[in-house]
Amino acid sequence: MRSSPAPAVLSFPLLLTLVAACSVDAPTRLRQLLDGRPGADDAPDAVVARDHPDGDESSSPAAPSSTDRPSGGAAERAVVSLTFDDTFADQLVAVPMLQAHGMRATFYVNSTRIGRSADYRYLTEGEVRELHAMGHEIGGHTQHHVDLTASDSDEQRRQICDDRAALAALGLDPRTLAYPLGRRDPGVVAAAEECGYAGARITNHVGASYPIALPATPSFEIPAAPSVSTSTTLDDMKREVTLAERTGGWVVFVMHHVCVDCGSRSAVRPEVLQAFLAWLAPRKKDGTVVRTVAQALGAEARPPRRGPALFGGTLGDNRLKNPSFERATRSPGTIDCWVLGTPGASAKHFTRVADAHDGAFALHLDGVGRSTTDRRVNVTQDAGGCAVDAAPGERLRLRAFAKGTTPMRFSAYVRDGAGFWRSWTSSPSTALGPEYAEVSWTLPAVPDDATAIAVGANLPSEGELTLDDLDLRTAP
Ligand SMILES: [Zn+2]
């Protein structure tokens, strides 16, 4: 007699195991993610150090039910928020686990990553909408995952407000923000508030009162437990919760990838997450509840607001903003839309001079700069205030008028779909003389993954340069 067939209904833990296993073994979309090499996104997180893993938080519960709202009642012992940053599609592995326990999480996404792939696949618009429809919160994480403290105030507002507006346009109701890399200063906090967010998450609780006292009040510095990494154990995660239970508080977990051996340290193992949620779920009866960040804050919906218009208004055929160095409206020694020398360093070798080819000013490099980074000028690599929108395959020509004592080269950078900039290509060197002459270079076809480009000029060897009237347009 044959043994009975296996029961048709799988236990939930088994189902989750299968979900995780299939994701690894089957040629699914998740496979692409799990096979991904370490993402560029991990680099900034790693640089910022383990206590400053990047954080993402935004809240936009689709329709938070009244039972999910903070009640302020005495029965509430602790609140746990589960946040997933950076738009990684491998986070979908967590969704059936969350749904099985009726838990809602917060996904902090970068609007420009939606539907794209770089080192990892990112969530598609359909997936993000579905998460929102399930009651998960979709929050903002800026357009391009930049260090906001290194951006000027207009760029901060474009990165935060325009990201939020893009998410709102998809019907995602973003209510909270996570600062990329957790980086913020008073100016960034003000921008987040101006853009309509009700709160913002950082990425650690060093120096903060933690767990956060309940009831939570709107805050733009919501601290979080140390970001979950491949070395985080189930006991580590439990400990954060039991601490919050003892003191009565709100604990926020920050997660990035959900995967096994996917090349990132910023990953929670699916089985660890599964075990943690299974341990957490029954604690609800004792007053430990899981809420999205927006729910925990009681965040209200607010209308989106755009950041400042891009530099220069409508552009002509020349795609560069401030191509002749005429505009210098920011801090002394800077020129709008141009990075002079080493980014963040003083532009000590550059000055605007009246010896222009056309207009009032040209840019002059004094010939003393000894390092190659001292001897270069590049378009600011930003969300589009200065950077040039470019379509894959497009052919562009860059021209300038220049004079100097040593040969000059043009260079170009691209921004990929994930918002990261990389060096792309350089022109051959062109000899310069004592009088202005036109230098021209037709760039290779714009790479397939490019969303924007930035161009510049540099001197491979020591010398003097005067540069004016740059022009970047469609190649004839
Ligand atoms: Zn991030």
Side-chain angles (χ1 to χ4, degrees):
M1 180 175 159
R2 297 177 57 188
S3 57
S4 330
V9 179
L10 298 174
S11 70
F12 177 64
L14 178 55
L15 179 61
L16 291 183
T17 304
L18 289 174
V19 166
C22 291
S23 300
V24 175
D25 295 332
T28 60
R29 296 176 306 177
L30 288 174
R31 174 60 182 254
Q32 299 165 355
L33 293 164
L34 296 167
D35 283 350
R37 57 198 167 84
D41 194 66
D42 297 318
D45 287 358
V47 166
V48 176
R50 276 159 221 158
D51 340 300
H52 289 263
D54 158 275
D56 247 330
E57 129 178 304
S58 84
S59 67
S60 59
S65 72
S66 55
T67 54
D68 285 339
R69 287 285 194 180
S71 64
E76 193 169 280
R77 178 171 60 166
V79 174
V80 177
S81 291
L82 305 164
T83 68
F84 295 88
D85 288 14
D86 291 1
T87 333
F88 295 126
D90 54 21
Q91 293 163 359
L92 295 173
V93 170
V95 175
M97 303 181 195
L98 293 163
Q99 297 299 111
H101 296 297
M103 294 174 180
R104 300 293 177 266
T106 299
F107 293 83
Y108 285 114
V109 308
N110 309 89
S111 57
T112 61
R113 288 184 178 176
I114 292 173
R116 294 184 179 275
S117 293
D119 293 308
Y120 292 94
R121 187 177 78 80
Y122 296 109
L123 294 165
T124 64
E125 181 183 324
E127 289 161 350
V128 176
R129 283 180 189 273
E130 197 175 337
L131 289 172
H132 183 253
M134 288 172 167
H136 299 291
E137 174 186 5
I138 306 298
H141 197 36
T142 74
Q143 287 185 308
H144 298 119
H145 205 281
V146 294
D147 174 357
L148 291 165
T149 64
S151 305
D152 68 37
S153 65
D154 282 0
E155 175 69 2
Q156 287 165 358
R157 281 157 181 77
R158 279 189 287 271
Q159 285 287 350
I160 302 171
C161 295
D162 291 356
D163 181 63
R164 181 164 184 267
L167 297 176
L170 296 177
L172 302 171
D173 186 21
R175 298 186 191 187
T176 68
L177 166 76
Y179 304 111
L181 313 170
R183 306 294 295 274
R184 79 286 176 197
D185 58 23
V188 171
V189 168
E193 209 163 354
E194 248 179 59
C195 293
Y197 282 117
R201 199 213 61 205
I202 59 178
T203 46
N204 65 77
H205 56 70
V206 176
S209 168
Y210 196 80
I212 305 146
L214 292 173
T217 49
S219 166
F220 285 84
E221 301 223 324
I222 301 166
S227 289
V228 178
S229 74
T230 49
S231 57
T232 303
T233 65
L234 175 59
D235 283 344
D236 293 335
M237 298 183 79
K238 289 179 179 175
R239 196 175 310 118
E240 297 290 340
V241 175
T242 51
L243 175 67
E245 288 171 342
R246 278 202 298 278
T247 57
W250 176 28
V251 57
V252 180
F253 286 93
V254 179
M255 289 168 274
H256 291 83
H257 292 284
V258 183
C259 55
V260 181
D261 297 334
C262 57
S264 172
R265 281 199 68 253
S266 300
V268 58
R269 298 176 67 86
E271 65 269 26
V272 170
L273 182 61
Q274 179 186 338
F276 174 62
L277 299 186
W279 172 85
L280 184 59
R283 304 177 88 76
K284 184 175 180 180
K285 67 180 183 321
D286 298 317
T288 299
V289 298
V290 175
R291 294 213 172 88
T292 67
V293 176
Q295 287 168 345
L297 289 179
E300 306 285 330
R302 293 182 198 167
R305 207 188 138 159
R306 303 289 307 197
L310 298 182
F311 181 91
T314 309
L315 293 169
D317 291 338
N318 185 358
R319 317 257 287 260
L320 296 175
K321 290 97 173 181
N322 203 20
S324 306
F325 311 109
E326 300 298 319
R327 196 172 139 141
T329 61
R330 303 186 194 283
S331 47
T334 67
I335 299 175
D336 296 7
C337 283
W338 294 97
V339 177
L340 310 175
T342 309
S346 67
K348 58 190 176 202
H349 299 294
F350 287 93
T351 46
R352 288 205 304 168
V353 294
D355 178 19
H357 174 261
D358 195 15
F361 295 104
L363 180 68
H364 183 251
L365 171 65
D366 67 11
V368 182
R370 291 190 180 276
S371 77
T372 51
T373 54
D374 279 345
R375 299 192 300 262
R376 66 185 185 191
V377 50
N378 286 310
V379 164
T380 306
Q381 297 175 356
D382 62 10
C386 301
V388 176
D389 287 334
E394 204 176 3
R395 295 302 297 261
L396 298 164
R397 187 182 65 183
L398 177 61
R399 289 184 297 173
F401 286 87
K403 57 183 180 176
T405 60
T406 182
M408 184 195 96
R409 265 192 329 201
F410 287 123
S411 54
Y413 301 77
V414 297
R415 189 182 68 209
D416 67 22
F420 292 102
W421 285 93
R422 67 170 187 271
S423 182
W424 168 28
T425 182
S426 294
S427 74
S429 291
T430 302
L432 301 179
E435 302 299 329
Y436 275 116
E438 184 176 309
V439 185
S440 176
W441 173 45
T442 299
L443 286 72
V446 172
D448 284 347
D449 64 339
T451 58
I453 69 168
V455 296
N458 63 79
L459 298 184
S461 53
E462 243 177 289
E464 216 172 320
L465 169 72
T466 308
L467 190 65
D468 201 3
D469 293 343
L470 279 85
D471 184 301
L472 179 70
R473 66 180 67 208
T474 305

